[in-house]
Amino acid sequence: MTPLALALSLALQAAPAPQKAPPPKPAAPAKTVSTPTTPEDLTASTRAWHEQRIQRLQSEEGWLTLVGLFWLKEGEQTAGSAPESELDFPAGTPAKLGTFTRKGNTVSFQPASGVQFTRNNAPFTGGELKTDEKGSPDVVKLGSLNFQVILRGDKLGVRVKDSQAQARKQFHGIETYPASPTWRVTARFEPSATPRTLQVPNVLGTTEEMKAPGTLVFTVDGKEYRLTPVEEEGSNQLFIIFADETNRDATYGAGRFLYSDMPKDGQVVLDFNRSYNPPCAFTRFATCPLPPRGNRLALRVEAGEKRYGDH
């Protein structure tokens, strides 16, 4: 297990004190491909779902393109590949890229002389940048490189992507467990009696408040288990961040993600065959949520994606 995966695993044992922050930004929710009725259908639908997941991961905006994440302090900070730059952008970018200025919760960027950027596909000569706090952030591009400003609690950062990143070029796929009906289970949904929020820890060492509509109760091999899903703003699915005993040796050490449809007639189908690795399994520049308290399953969920590379 790499130092990153080990650190994330240890972080699960002690969630830090609550701190208000916007919802995490996981990979795009899984899309429903079909409703399997036989083992053969399940295998085919799981394969189709995973192919879509891989396409998103490998896209020009996918997590494999992340090459940098810089947290901004108050005031001005120079950016570029020059050694004296305060924000050390990847090699191959201009030595002097420009200057970021943070004032409270606002960030502006002034390009260096002679460096031509676009913002949201229009020429950009400098100015304030919209963060991801309320939706889509401004995207500033230079060649294959692009960056955007993200807000995490009281932290403002510059997330940098490169469509020519080595991680994207060298991607070799993700091994998965064979699809199995055993891991497509029907859970009973127990709604919360009153509106409830859940403290979700993340790799930054802070927590994020997310809406928790209730509890999912399901049975495997005659034993009952519980998971608490959360709701993301604008999503029509439940988001489950969970850990299980395969994290020790076969799957990503800090847990995995799973989406499900909303409850219908008091039930939710949990298809663990569609469990997948969080962005942090591929890059140290992501800001992944971790399984909240109670979402560590005392069983081996041998379904979904396995560990990628040496993570």
Side-chain angles (χ1 to χ4, degrees), residues 115-135:
V115 185
Q116 298 181 343
F117 290 90
T118 63
R119 178 176 61 182
N120 306 330
N121 299 317
F124 178 61
T125 57
E128 186 175 325
L129 299 177
K130 184 174 68 173
T131 74
D132 67 348
E133 179 183 14
K134 296 182 180 179

Side-chain angles (χ1 to χ4, degrees), residues 69-79 86-89 98-109 127 129 131 147-152 154-160:
L69 177 61
F70 306 102
W71 298 110
L72 298 172
K73 61 185 180 182
E74 193 73 12
E76 295 185 354
Q77 290 123 99
T78 59
E86 293 172 272
L87 307 184
D88 186 18
F89 271 60
T99 302
F100 288 91
T101 302
R102 175 178 179 177
K103 293 182 179 180
N105 279 341
T106 65
V107 175
S108 60
F109 177 69
L129 299 177
T131 74
F147 62 79
Q148 56 188 253
V149 179
I150 65 173
L151 178 67
R152 298 293 180 268
D154 60 354
K155 299 168 70 71
L156 278 167
V158 180
R159 172 175 282 166
V160 186

Side-chain angles (χ1 to χ4, degrees), residues 16-63:
Q19 179 175 328
K20 186 177 180 180
K25 305 297 188 294
K31 296 180 179 179
T32 300
V33 177
S34 63
T35 301
T37 57
T38 68
E40 291 76 16
D41 288 343
L42 179 63
T43 297
S45 66
T46 302
R47 182 185 303 115
W49 170 85
H50 200 247
E51 287 174 355
Q52 291 179 354
R53 182 285 201 274
I54 295 301
Q55 288 174 5
R56 293 192 298 272
L57 186 62
Q58 285 187 288
S59 72
E60 288 193 357
E61 293 300 321
W63 292 109

Side-chain angles (χ1 to χ4, degrees), residues 159-205:
R159 172 175 282 166
V160 186
K161 296 182 177 182
D162 186 350
S163 61
Q164 299 301 311
Q166 288 301 308
R168 184 183 183 217
K169 290 181 175 181
Q170 297 173 2
F171 180 70
H172 51 75
I174 307 171
E175 186 179 357
T176 64
Y177 288 98
S180 169
T182 300
W183 293 110
R184 182 178 167 82
V185 302
T186 299
R188 182 177 74 254
F189 178 70
E190 296 182 348
S192 301
T194 57
R196 176 190 173 200
T197 59
L198 188 68
Q199 300 296 331
V200 180
N202 60 43
V203 299
L204 303 179

Side-chain angles (χ1 to χ4, degrees), residues 155-308:
K155 299 168 70 71
L156 278 167
V158 180
R159 172 175 282 166
V160 186
K161 296 182 177 182
D162 186 350
S163 61
Q164 299 301 311
Q166 288 301 308
R168 184 183 183 217
K169 290 181 175 181
Q170 297 173 2
F171 180 70
H172 51 75
I174 307 171
E175 186 179 357
T176 64
Y177 288 98
S180 169
T182 300
W183 293 110
R184 182 178 167 82
V185 302
T186 299
R188 182 177 74 254
F189 178 70
E190 296 182 348
S192 301
T194 57
R196 176 190 173 200
T197 59
L198 188 68
Q199 300 296 331
V200 180
N202 60 43
V203 299
L204 303 179
T206 63
T207 59
E208 301 167 354
E209 289 187 354
M210 301 191 71
K211 294 180 181 178
T215 304
L216 300 172
V217 184
F218 60 98
T219 301
V220 176
D221 292 334
K223 186 174 181 180
E224 188 175 271
Y225 299 92
R226 292 173 174 263
L227 287 171
T228 301
V230 293
E231 291 181 325
E232 299 172 290
E233 186 175 352
S235 174
N236 62 353
Q237 292 185 304
L238 296 177
F239 179 39
I240 301 117
I241 311 162
F242 75 98
D244 70 275
E245 293 183 354
T246 66
N247 299 155
R248 300 173 181 174
D249 54 17
T251 60
Y252 184 56
R256 291 178 289 172
F257 293 166
L258 176 66
Y259 280 90
S260 75
D261 290 335
M262 289 293 184
K264 182 177 181 180
D265 299 327
Q267 295 185 327
V268 170
V269 174
L270 295 176
D271 191 348
F272 287 101
N273 296 294
R274 298 187 181 191
S275 305
Y276 67 98
N277 293 323
C280 290
F282 310 100
T283 175
R284 69 182 187 275
F285 301 121
T287 58
C288 303
L290 299 169
R293 292 186 183 278
N295 275 16
R296 292 188 63 82
L297 300 174
L299 82 162
R300 292 183 65 85
V301 180
E302 295 183 335
E305 290 186 350
K306 295 184 179 181
R307 189 171 296 175
Y308 178 75

